[in-house]
């Protein structure tokens, strides 16, 4: 049997790193067919076809699939499901919105945030904010799952899989897209950046977050934030790293003024090197940091920016 | 309009989770349990809709062990009007899967005919992030997940959603299922008089069988294990030392 993989596409841009890691996660389960949905996704479909391990790309170009609204996109996937043993997607906000709907329509359970594929029926996934890892075996005929991409390596490049057009029209009527408010940024994308500089409650204000951003820009890094910093309005929600925000695993994660609450650690503890800068030497973040600096971030972060 | 809010009894978010030594799960015996934090936000949002005159009745539902009655009383003390307890397990360690929960909730919704269902976006125990989406699917309703702002206007709701790129606004046709994200509101604390009043509010007791739903799991838990422990590294004394360590590690 084959695997249907819903590509993560926003405004015509393929999240190639995430899709590539998802391809490598499911490659052993069968031929991988990547579904790119939405008018204007031609370039994304062509790019998906270059990922090694992709047997074909299916491009459903109807306008109604733009913005990947849950109701029409779930109906599309369900209409295709008969040919597949597994339906997967990178664990991004669109997939988390769509795939549980798909699973319920197929009368199967969802497997959320899969971190290891043991065999075609057996998967590992974190529970309790990553404080436990559960191995589960599914009895369902089709496995519908989201993949936590930080647990997998990207597949190679250089493929030229065929791209098939699918003329299915989107079902309509339940919901409509109004607008996206996406901050334009030249910084790398948070979940695929090599370096992430994050600020927490200790940063103190939106204004002072600029010192975090300055270090990030000097390093060519993405900017992250703890839930406390986002809740306090210091940083926008799309910067949040943690159990309910983004899960990242960069080469270097620099946590500034972050205490290290469990739910934050859940989002970054797989980073290769963790640096913590915090004036409280008892902060739990130091228990996971490779390099800890007990210092006032308002002194240490600008100094670091000057020296890297 | 009637608003239905499902609430789940979960381990309190401040409690350190311990994996049982025999790998069969997480120890929940004699552990403090509370309402799932996202569900508190959902209850609060329903109460605010009622206070704004957009809703006239709030029904809270919990599915699980009979002790979930405490969670329902908490929701009633916050301001919900009535509660339905659906007993579907005897052992506090039994987690009813989102698919079965959604099926029971769909059956409840068919009896109650709410105009809106507001759920928490995920439970902090199984972290599935699925029940709301599954419920919308089974009812054939629209869905707006991860909501940070909700505006109800006649037969539509305009919902701002927290998504990977920032914020997305969608307009959904009612009846709809909305799932609450962290920043939708700050839930109120129940006052002592309201806690007392909540004891007298109606609470119906049902079972999964009353709704004809088979709650047997589709996923068998093979084992539950501790995540790999990350060892603490070293403390450095200065920014200069940090920079040289990072260079040694090839990180800069």
């Amino acid at each position: 049997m084959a695997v249907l993989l819903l590509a993560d596409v926003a405004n015509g841009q393929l999240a190639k790193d995430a899709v590539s890691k998802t391809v490598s996660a499911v490659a052993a389960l069968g031929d991988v067919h990547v579904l790119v949905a939405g008018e204007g996704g031609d370039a994304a479909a062509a790019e998906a076809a270059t990922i090694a391990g992709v047997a074909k790309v299916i491009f459903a170009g109807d306008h109604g699939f733009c913005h990947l609204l849950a109701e029409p996109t779930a109906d599309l996937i369900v209409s295709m499901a008969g040919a597949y043993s597994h339906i997967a997607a990178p664990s991004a906000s669109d997939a988390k919105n769509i795939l549980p709907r798909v699973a319920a329509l197929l009368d199967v359970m969802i497997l959320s945030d899969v971190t290891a594929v043991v065999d075609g029926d057996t998967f590992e996934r974190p529970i309790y904010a990553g404080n436990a890892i559960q191995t589960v075996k599914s009895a369902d005929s089709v496995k519908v799952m989201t993949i936590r991409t930080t647990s997998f390596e990207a597949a190679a490049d250089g493929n030229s899989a065929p791209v098939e057009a699918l003329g299915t029209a989107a079902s309509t009527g339940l919901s409509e897209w109004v607008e996206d408010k996406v901050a334009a940024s030249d910084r790398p994308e948070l979940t695929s950046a090599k370096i992430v500089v994050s600020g927490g409650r200790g940063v103190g204000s939106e204004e002072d977050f600029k010192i975090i951003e300055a270090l990030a820009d000097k390093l060519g890094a993405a900017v992250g934030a703890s839930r406390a910093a986002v809740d306090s309005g210091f940083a926008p929600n799309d910067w949040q790293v943690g159990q309910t925000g983004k899960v990242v695993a960069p080469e270097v994660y620099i946590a500034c003024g972050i205490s290290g609450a469990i739910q934050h650690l859940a989002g970054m503890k797989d980073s290769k090197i963790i640096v913590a800068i915090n004036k409280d030497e008892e902060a739990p973040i130091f228990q996971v940091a490779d390099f800890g600096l007990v210092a006032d971030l308002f002194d240490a972060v600008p100094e670091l920016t000057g020296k890297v | 309009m009637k608003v239905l809010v499902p609430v789940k009894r979960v381990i309190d978010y401040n409690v350190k989770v311990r994996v049982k030594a025999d790998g069969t799960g997480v120890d929940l015996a004699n552990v403090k349990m509370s309402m799932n934090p996202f569900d508190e936000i959902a209850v609060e949002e329903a109460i605010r809709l009622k206070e704004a005159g957009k809703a006239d009745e709030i029904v809270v539902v919990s599915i699980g062990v009979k002790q979930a009655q405490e969670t329902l009383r908490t929701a009633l003390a916050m301001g919900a009007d009535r509660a339905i307890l659906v007993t579907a397990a005897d052992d506090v360690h039994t987690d009813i899967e989102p698919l079965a929960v959604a099926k029971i909730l769909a059956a409840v919704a068919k009896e109650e005919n709410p105009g809106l269902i507001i759920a928490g976006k995920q439970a902090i125990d199984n972290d599935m992030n699925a029940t709301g989406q599954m419920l919308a699917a089974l009812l054939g309703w629209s869905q707006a997940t991860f909501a940070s702002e909700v505006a109800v206007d006649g037969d539509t709701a305009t919902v701002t959603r927290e998504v990977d790129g920032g914020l997305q606004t969608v307009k959904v046709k009612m009846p709809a299922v909305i799932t609450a994200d962290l920043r939708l509101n700050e839930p109120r604390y129940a006052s002592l008089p309201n806690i007392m009043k909540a004891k007298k509010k109606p609470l119906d007791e049902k079972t999964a069988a009353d709704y004809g739903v088979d709650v047997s799991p589709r996923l068998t838990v093979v084992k539950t294990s501790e995540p790999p422990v990350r060892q603490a590294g070293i403390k450095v004394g200065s920014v200069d030392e940090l920079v040289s360590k990072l260079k040694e590690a090839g990180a800069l």
Side-chain angles (χ1 to χ4, degrees):
Chain A
M1 287 290 266
V3 182
L4 182 65
L5 193 165
L6 174 67
D8 186 10
V9 179
N11 298 314
Q13 290 282 316
L14 181 75
K16 191 177 178 189
D17 182 70
V19 172
S20 178
K21 286 172 175 167
T22 307
V23 170
S24 72
V26 300
L29 301 174
D31 277 357
V32 179
H33 298 174
V34 175
L35 171 63
V36 172
E39 187 182 39
D42 317 58
E47 197 180 5
T50 67
I51 299 170
V54 173
K56 72 172 170 185
V57 175
I58 301 165
F59 174 45
D62 189 77
H63 178 73
F65 299 123
C66 290
H67 312 293
L68 294 176
L69 289 172
E71 302 87 350
T73 312
D75 288 346
L76 169 68
I77 294 172
V78 168
S79 75
M80 302 168 70
Y84 297 96
S85 59
H86 297 76
I87 297 169
S91 200
S93 52
D94 282 331
K96 290 179 187 171
N97 188 32
I98 297 163
L99 288 198
R101 188 173 179 105
V102 169
L105 291 172
L106 295 172
D107 192 26
V108 301
M109 255 299 282
I110 181 85
L111 294 143
S112 307
D113 280 320
V114 167
T115 51
V117 176
V118 179
D119 61 38
D121 303 319
T122 316
F123 308 89
E124 288 180 16
R125 55 178 303 270
I127 54 173
Y128 292 94
N131 281 300
I133 308 294
Q134 203 170 56
T135 307
V136 291
K137 190 172 164 67
S138 168
D140 285 322
S141 53
V142 188
K143 279 75 176 171
V144 180
M145 55 194 183
T146 60
I147 301 290
R148 181 169 284 192
T149 52
T150 53
S151 300
F152 300 92
E153 299 292 331
D157 256 341
N159 191 9
S160 54
V163 178
E164 274 177 19
L166 182 68
T168 306
S171 53
T172 53
L174 285 175
S175 67
E176 61 180 287
W177 173 83
V178 178
E179 65 170 340
D180 284 336
K181 280 187 195 152
V182 177
S185 169
D186 296 332
R187 297 193 185 108
E189 202 270 315
L190 184 54
T191 55
S192 57
K194 294 234 171 337
I195 306 178
V196 174
V197 183
S198 277
R201 193 196 303 271
V203 177
S205 70
E206 187 180 3
E207 181 62 27
D208 285 328
F209 230 85
K210 291 200 168 60
I211 67 167
I212 305 296
E213 298 179 56
L215 176 58
D217 291 340
K218 187 77 181 288
L219 293 167
V223 182
S226 70
R227 173 182 162 183
V230 178
D231 282 354
S232 306
F234 306 166
N237 69 281
D238 49 300
W239 289 4
Q240 185 179 320
V241 172
Q243 178 189 18
T244 65
K246 295 197 170 87
V247 177
V248 302
E251 301 287 325
V252 186
Y253 187 89
I254 305 177
C256 310
I258 291 178
S259 64
I262 285 168
Q263 68 86 23
H264 185 74
L265 301 184
M268 46 63 81
K269 65 185 166 58
D270 293 329
S271 305
K272 298 229 166 46
I273 294 175
I274 297 174
V275 176
I277 300 173
N278 200 306
K279 64 181 175 190
D280 173 13
E281 63 178 313
E282 302 295 326
I285 189 79
F286 289 120
Q287 292 163 20
V288 299
D290 298 282
F291 304 117
L293 176 62
V294 180
D296 188 330
L297 71 95
F298 293 102
D299 300 326
V301 174
E303 188 184 345
L304 185 58
T305 306
K307 288 178 174 167
V308 292
Chain B
M1 178 180 72
K2 188 191 284 184
V3 182
L4 191 70
V5 183
V7 296
K8 186 176 186 182
R9 179 180 186 266
V10 298
I11 194 166
D12 186 86
Y13 75 100
N14 284 313
V15 172
K16 172 102 181 84
V17 170
R18 284 189 305 119
V19 175
K20 288 198 274 187
D22 62 2
T24 58
V26 161
D27 195 358
L28 296 176
N30 305 315
V31 167
K32 185 181 179 202
M33 305 293 280
S34 298
M35 190 190 303
N36 179 43
F38 291 99
D39 301 349
E40 280 188 318
I41 297 171
V43 172
E44 175 68 32
E45 195 64 17
I47 296 168
R48 290 185 189 192
L49 284 173
K50 191 178 170 190
E51 287 169 346
K54 305 269 187 186
D56 44 37
E57 189 185 23
I58 301 164
V59 180
V60 286
V61 188
S62 194
I63 294 157
V65 291
K66 63 180 188 320
Q67 291 91 325
Q69 192 174 132
E70 296 157 20
T71 312
L72 289 169
R73 291 287 174 203
T74 305
L76 292 171
M78 286 173 74
D81 298 296
R82 109 185 130 75
I84 303 170
L85 171 67
V86 184
T87 308
D90 297 325
D91 181 351
V92 294
H93 292 92
T94 307
D95 188 38
I96 308 297
E97 289 177 347
L99 180 64
V101 170
K103 286 180 179 179
I104 293 170
L105 290 172
V108 171
K110 279 173 190 155
E111 282 183 9
E112 296 282 343
N113 290 311
L116 184 63
I117 300 175
I118 311 178
K121 81 161 180 180
Q122 80 190 64
I124 61 165
D125 51 4
N126 65 31
D127 279 338
M128 283 281 189
N129 189 340
T131 302
Q133 297 90 315
M134 290 186 142
L135 176 57
L138 297 176
L139 291 168
W141 291 7
S142 59
Q143 68 183 57
T145 51
F146 326 144
S148 64
E149 205 181 328
V150 174
V152 173
D153 185 18
D155 60 354
T156 61
T158 303
V159 179
T160 303
R161 307 176 54 230
E162 294 203 356
V163 296
D164 289 338
L167 297 170
Q168 180 182 68
T169 305
V170 294
K171 195 180 268 188
V172 295
K173 203 162 114 183
M174 310 254 274
V177 177
I178 293 172
T179 75
D181 214 320
L182 288 171
R183 284 164 283 272
L184 182 56
N185 59 51
E186 277 188 44
R188 69 194 64 194
Y189 292 101
S191 66
L192 189 59
N194 284 343
I195 292 171
M196 301 311 289
K197 265 194 264 176
K199 291 182 179 163
K200 298 201 181 76
K201 288 184 178 175
L203 189 150
D204 272 357
E205 294 195 40
K206 302 274 193 178
T207 65
D210 291 339
Y211 297 101
V213 174
D214 175 9
V215 298
S216 37
R218 304 293 186 85
L219 305 179
T220 311
V221 178
V222 179
K223 67 170 181 200
T224 305
S225 52
E226 296 260 8
V229 179
R230 199 176 169 113
Q231 297 299 322
I234 55 162
K235 291 258 172 74
V236 293
S238 66
V239 170
D240 288 322
E241 194 186 343
L242 176 60
V243 171
S244 71
K245 290 287 181 196
L246 286 173
K247 282 184 177 156
E248 268 173 43
L252 289 179

